[in-house]
Amino acid sequence: MDPLNRQLKGELTGISKFLSLVLRHKPEVIGITLDEFGWVKIDELLACSERNGRVIYREQLNEVVNRNDKQRFAISKDHTRIRARQGHSIPVDLGLKPIQPPDVLYHGTTQRFLSSILEHGLLKRKREYVHLSPDAATARKVGSRHGPPVILRIRAADMHGQGAEFYRSENGVWLTEIVPHGYIEHNEE
């Protein structure tokens, strides 16, 4: 990758991380308020970002939304508002309806978290939901962010049969409140 493309990618990654912070966790750090569904006006987001020392141009924002491989953000149909699709640690109504999950979903993690997960299950911690992947390849990608990945199989249909609710966000991430340890399978590779 040439230096100019590397710099552009680095800028977009920085903007994506910043957007994740303010649209998922701490909108107050730049003085914005999300509505009950997690939306904020783009003009307000850009103006408040600039007032707080982070200049983001609309073209850059569009690039982050369009190029993000995980499709973390959504822009409203009228192109005036933006929100994070999931991953919030603050209460937000994403308008998702419970649906039947596939038989198996996956979760990518690292070895350092494995014993706790196998003992206590997958907990949402500070987030609104536990995030699950539709396939092992996606889970591997997620897990590799923090070291060599460990892929866990989640018996989602069995959980659903026992009353657990599942949701699927617009970008294909599966969400649920908790995954008890009895529904988690780990096979050493």
Side-chain angles (χ1 to χ4, degrees):
M1 181 182 302
D2 65 63
L4 186 58
N5 281 337
R6 189 174 302 127
Q7 180 182 356
L8 175 62
K9 184 177 180 187
E11 287 174 12
L12 295 179
T13 298
I15 292 169
S16 179
K17 288 180 179 183
F18 175 75
L19 292 175
S20 288
L21 172 71
V22 299
L23 297 177
R24 288 175 159 180
H25 310 294
K26 296 183 177 184
E28 70 277 3
V29 299
I30 61 167
I32 62 172
T33 301
L34 307 179
D35 72 12
E36 67 182 303
F37 304 105
W39 294 104
V40 65
K41 290 182 180 175
I42 292 173
D43 291 342
E44 180 184 354
L45 171 71
L46 298 179
C48 289
S49 295
E50 186 172 354
R51 276 197 298 277
N52 285 274
R54 182 72 186 236
V55 177
I56 302 172
Y57 298 103
R58 180 64 189 251
E59 297 78 18
Q60 291 174 308
L61 182 77
N62 290 339
E63 280 292 307
V64 167
V65 171
N66 294 329
R67 291 177 78 178
N68 187 280
D69 61 340
K70 294 179 184 160
Q71 294 294 297
R72 286 188 172 108
F73 311 105
I75 290 181
S76 62
K77 290 180 183 177
D78 66 1
H79 302 283
T80 63
R81 299 173 301 148
I82 187 171
R83 76 174 180 180
R85 293 185 191 267
Q86 80 273 327
H88 299 84
S89 60
I90 55 177
V92 169
D93 179 358
L94 295 174
L96 302 175
K97 304 292 182 217
I99 62 172
Q100 170 77 41
D103 289 347
V104 175
L105 290 168
Y106 300 87
H107 183 79
T109 189
T110 61
Q111 191 67 41
R112 71 177 180 218
F113 300 124
L114 185 59
S115 62
S116 177
I117 291 170
L118 294 176
E119 182 178 349
H120 303 289
L122 287 168
L123 309 174
K124 61 184 180 176
R125 306 259 177 216
K126 294 179 181 177
R127 292 188 178 193
E128 291 286 290
Y129 297 101
V130 171
H131 293 194
L132 302 172
S133 301
D135 55 72
T138 302
R140 184 174 315 287
K141 193 173 183 181
V142 171
S144 67
R145 291 181 305 177
H146 303 290
V150 173
I151 310 307
L152 303 174
R153 295 184 73 228
I154 310 302
R155 294 191 339 271
D158 291 346
M159 280 180 60
H160 186 263
Q162 294 298 312
E165 290 187 335
F166 285 83
Y167 309 89
R168 187 174 54 214
S169 68
E170 295 173 70
N171 60 351
V173 174
W174 284 86
L175 309 168
T176 192
E177 291 276 328
I178 185 173
V179 178
H181 66 89
Y183 295 96
I184 300 171
E185 297 174 357
H186 172 248
N187 298 323
E188 296 288 335
E189 294 182 4

